[in-house]
Amino acid sequence: MTRFAHFWRKSVDGRAAILYLLPSVILFSVFVFYPMFRTIYLSFFLTDQTGNAAIMVGFENFMYLLGSSEFQNSMKATGLFVLYTVPITIILALFFALLANEKLKGIGFFRTMYSSTMGISVAASSVIWLFMFNPSIGMFNRLLSVFDFPQIQWLLDPEWALISVAISTIWMNLGFSFLILLGGLQNIDEHLYESSRIDGAGYFYRLRRITLPMLSPTLFFIITISLINAFQTFGQIDILTKGGPSQSTNLIVYSIYREAFINYQFGTASAQAVILFIIILIVTILQFKLGERRVHYQ
Amino acid sequence: MRMSLLSKIWIYFLLLVTSAFVFFPVLYAFMISFMTGPEIIQGKFFPESINFENYTKVFSRLPLMNYLLNSFIVSASVMLGQLAVCSMAAYAFVFLKFKGRDFIFFLFISTMMIPWEATMIPNVFTIRKLDWFNTYQGLTLPFFALAFGTFLLRQHFLTIPKELHEASQIAGLSRFAFFWRVVLPVSKTSLVTLGAYGFLTTWNMYLWPLLITTNQSVRTVQIGLKQLQSQEIATEWGVVMAGVIVVIIPTLLLLFLGQKQLQKGLSQGALK
């Protein structure tokens, strides 16, 4: 009895912890862990219309996907999209953050401008860009005609559609990347610059030798987040192109969405979801492996 | 040491040009929202007159007021839910000693590696089984637990001096009183950051409301925009842009007010 009382008293933190952690644990179990395992499970089955597993097919869904030109195309488009968007977004955001980090009068106004796209939803941004890409009344084709360049069917041309979506996506993601990078820049210790100024080091020397190395943890973080975000792109595709023309913008999440909720092929959709999960896992692990070596922590 | 005048001018020039480029699409949409059909086709940048006809039209075409209210309820609920759930978890990780703490923390962090889109198919089935289609709880509850939020608050809670915890125990404060009356007030800045972040991301959420709202009862503004865009296309861009402006104003305001806070808070969460 005393032993029990002792145990009871000693575990009081543990019991409180259960209470404090319970909401998170329940929600994560129901909406993250269970559906992840369920997705893996479903990827080995053919399903009925309501999404119940019907026939076990082993790896057939995956085999089917790897052999289907549609899925190969989707993977290729996703890869290209990541390549088009991530480096440019980060370079632009870094450039803006460096500018906005200067101590000048009215700099707060510019910071607000640069970060503004973070406050604009994907749906709203997409509608604005849909108008700007409009072949007859949109701004881009008007500009082209002013300079007597041939018109481009931005979102309707399979050659251009992915690039157009990428351009709009770069704009949408600028605000967030900018805010993170500016925050990183402001965390750099002022004293580091002061000593280098005495030595008479130029701006670009300081950038290369002090700013970028000190910013590397933030850069590393924003690269990881941007990569993951790019793989998860959905809203702009749904509004701008619906995966077309001739599937040139059928990025993986849009492909999953279509397969599951329009074609009701939950088995193959789940297999695609598993592939998405694996890709993101690999990206994250690679990032951390590479990052550990490159990143300079204070 | 001060910047030379020349480099100052040069930097101002770059700031002006690039920020104008970045903000241009929003300004353009704002201008279009005051234009009539013929003006838009002529390709003007400034509207001939400021009239709010497009705005009254957009409110009559769509139950936009309802959608705005829905978005507000959903975003505010997720914000409050996240603050409650994440701060409780973060408190347990920092101030309570228990077996398996590191393991559970690792489990939390591992959820960051699971893309939400990879789990959406079973989640839709779960919502269907619970009969939560077209309900606020279906739109909000799945997002209450957030590893990033827990992590962000944990980082802040770790900076609270241990002496404060000990003193509160000696003073006979209960765990909950310590949590509620000491930990939370001290961490106001992180709570504000997380709150603004939660509100913003929820307001802008697109795929989940698209999946689980099938009628207008709890539909959010983002899906309203999709509706508007597919109904009105090629005909009345002015009305569509009026809708866009109405939808982005609340989040833009929130961002303008909380930009400093967000930038500081988010980069702290990112780094430590």
Side-chain angles (χ1 to χ4, degrees):
Chain A
M1 196 60 212
T2 50
R3 238 170 112 183
F4 176 76
H6 179 69
F7 170 77
W8 187 249
R9 187 140 24 95
K10 239 188 105 182
S11 67
V12 68
D13 259 13
R15 277 178 285 122
I18 292 173
L19 267 175
Y20 280 94
L21 288 172
L22 204 57
S24 294
V25 169
I26 290 175
L27 287 168
F28 279 143
S29 310
V30 175
F31 293 111
V32 180
F33 292 119
Y34 159 74
M36 193 62 239
F37 288 116
R38 180 79 186 163
T39 302
I40 296 171
Y41 175 78
L42 282 177
S43 71
F44 296 117
F45 284 85
L46 290 180
T47 56
D48 61 16
Q49 286 272 314
T50 52
N52 291 314
I55 307 161
M56 165 106 181
V57 293
F59 283 94
E60 223 163 273
N61 283 330
F62 291 94
M63 289 328 225
Y64 162 76
L65 282 177
L66 294 177
S68 102
S69 61
E70 205 172 307
F71 182 70
Q72 286 170 3
N73 185 47
S74 166
M75 290 305 290
K76 198 182 120 204
T78 310
L80 281 176
F81 182 79
V82 170
L83 227 58
Y84 292 162
T85 54
V86 176
I88 298 181
T89 309
I90 291 174
I91 290 170
L92 276 178
L94 178 63
F95 174 57
F96 296 159
L98 285 171
L99 280 177
N101 195 37
E102 298 290 344
K103 287 183 188 60
L104 291 170
K105 239 180 225 148
I107 202 73
F109 169 78
F110 294 107
R111 286 180 186 166
T112 308
M113 291 290 110
Y114 289 132
S115 57
S116 62
T117 70
M118 193 193 165
I120 302 168
S121 67
V122 169
S125 315
S126 303
V127 172
I128 297 175
W129 284 84
L130 186 66
F131 177 70
M132 296 206 292
F133 282 130
N134 187 301
S136 53
I137 56 171
M139 193 197 69
F140 289 118
N141 270 359
R142 276 189 208 283
L143 274 180
L144 288 179
S145 71
V146 167
F147 296 106
D148 264 336
F149 285 123
Q151 301 275 291
I152 296 172
Q153 300 290 309
W154 299 98
L155 295 166
L156 305 172
D157 182 343
E159 297 280 317
W160 279 94
L162 191 66
I163 295 173
S164 309
V165 177
I167 294 172
S168 63
T169 306
I170 290 169
W171 182 77
M172 292 174 204
N173 295 339
L174 264 179
F176 178 72
S177 306
F178 165 80
L179 266 188
I180 298 286
L181 287 172
L182 180 63
L185 283 175
Q186 299 197 326
N187 280 339
I188 298 177
D189 194 348
E190 280 290 318
H191 299 296
L192 287 171
Y193 291 107
E194 273 159 28
S195 56
S196 81
R197 278 203 187 112
I198 296 163
D199 298 341
Y203 178 80
F204 287 99
Y205 182 84
R206 268 181 284 142
L207 182 69
R208 213 157 40 90
R209 285 302 166 88
I210 303 175
T211 312
L212 290 184
M214 295 313 285
L215 193 64
S216 57
T218 317
L219 269 172
F220 163 72
F221 170 79
I222 196 67
I223 291 172
T224 313
I225 296 280
S226 302
L227 276 172
I228 292 174
N229 275 346
F231 278 106
Q232 294 171 302
T233 303
F234 175 82
Q236 51 271 60
I237 302 294
D238 192 43
I239 289 180
L240 290 174
T241 62
K242 300 229 174 291
S246 55
Q247 299 194 18
S248 59
T249 58
N250 192 17
L251 302 189
I252 186 158
V253 173
Y254 196 76
S255 170
I256 295 171
Y257 165 78
R258 251 217 322 227
E259 196 74 354
F261 301 110
I262 294 174
N263 301 333
Y264 299 109
Q265 298 295 322
F266 297 107
T268 42
S270 299
Q272 290 189 41
V274 170
I275 292 173
L276 172 70
F277 170 62
I278 292 170
I279 291 174
I280 291 194
L281 200 67
I282 291 174
V283 168
T284 324
I285 292 171
L286 267 183
Q287 278 285 312
F288 272 92
K289 285 270 177 237
L290 293 176
E292 258 170 30
R293 258 184 273 153
R294 291 264 177 84
V295 171
H296 175 280
Y297 287 99
Q298 275 173 292
Chain B
M1 215 157 99
R2 293 190 51 207
M3 239 182 281
S4 71
L5 187 67
L6 194 70
S7 59
K8 236 182 200 175
I9 292 173
W10 175 230
I11 288 173
Y12 269 120
F13 172 75
L14 284 176
L15 280 167
L16 267 174
V17 172
T18 52
S19 66
F21 256 104
V22 171
F23 201 64
F24 176 80
V26 184
L27 201 63
Y28 193 42
F30 184 69
M31 295 297 178
I32 298 282
S33 74
F34 292 107
M35 288 187 198
T36 60
E39 280 177 81
I40 294 168
I41 289 170
Q42 282 162 30
K44 292 192 167 147
F45 182 71
F46 292 105
E48 270 161 24
S49 63
I50 301 288
N51 69 66
F52 289 86
E53 205 179 315
N54 288 330
Y55 286 86
T56 48
K57 265 189 197 158
V58 75
F59 276 96
S60 67
R61 300 274 162 87
L62 271 189
L64 198 56
M65 222 43 219
N66 263 339
Y67 291 172
L68 281 168
L69 190 70
N70 288 337
S71 272
F72 187 79
I73 295 173
V74 170
S75 308
S77 317
V78 170
M79 179 182 81
L80 293 176
Q82 276 179 356
L83 287 176
V85 172
C86 295
S87 63
M88 281 168 70
Y91 171 81
F93 283 127
V94 175
F95 293 104
L96 300 176
K97 285 190 194 69
F98 56 94
K99 249 191 202 154
R101 184 162 79 171
D102 293 342
F103 175 70
I104 294 176
F105 187 67
F106 168 76
L107 269 185
F108 271 51
I109 295 298
S110 73
T111 63
M112 287 210 249
M113 296 232 243
I114 299 176
W116 180 85
E117 290 78 3
T119 56
M120 70 180 170
I121 297 168
N123 275 338
V124 169
F125 297 148
T126 304
I127 296 294
R128 188 193 291 149
K129 248 180 227 137
L130 292 168
D131 208 9
W132 280 1
F133 265 91
N134 298 311
T135 60
Y136 288 123
Q137 63 270 34
L139 279 173
T140 57
L141 256 172
F143 303 99
F144 279 12
L146 183 71
F148 167 72
T150 309
F151 191 65
L152 188 86
L153 294 179
R154 175 181 170 270
Q155 296 311 107
H156 199 141
F157 291 179
L158 282 172
T159 63
I160 296 172
K162 284 270 170 287
E163 292 78 29
L164 212 57
H165 191 205
E166 282 155 18
S168 79
Q169 281 172 329
I170 293 164
L173 229 60
S174 74
R175 274 189 191 74
F176 186 74
F178 175 66
F179 171 62
W180 188 253
R181 301 221 305 257
V182 180
V183 175
L184 290 187
V186 171
S187 312
K188 225 193 291 167
T189 49
S190 289
L191 292 171
V192 172
T193 306
L194 180 61
Y197 175 83
F199 191 93
L200 222 75
T201 47
T202 313
W203 182 275
N204 294 342
M205 204 182 282
Y206 183 77
L207 180 51
W208 186 245
L210 186 69
L211 289 174
I212 68 155
T213 59
T214 53
N215 63 37
Q216 301 184 347
S217 59
V218 298
R219 186 167 283 166
T220 58
V221 278
Q222 310 301 336
I223 311 305
L225 276 184
K226 178 193 163 86
Q227 254 185 306
L228 191 66
Q229 173 263 131
S230 43
Q231 278 170 14
E232 307 278 329
I233 202 125
T235 50
E236 293 196 84
W237 276 104
V239 179
V240 177
M241 288 307 173
V244 167
I245 297 297
V246 170
V247 171
I248 64 178
I249 279 177
T251 41
L252 270 186
L253 277 180
L254 184 70
L255 187 80
F256 291 169
L257 293 176
Q259 179 237 328
K260 226 178 212 165
Q261 183 72 42
L262 261 177
Q263 160 215 319
K264 264 191 205 137
L266 287 180
S267 60
Q268 262 164 18
L271 287 185
K272 283 169 190 165

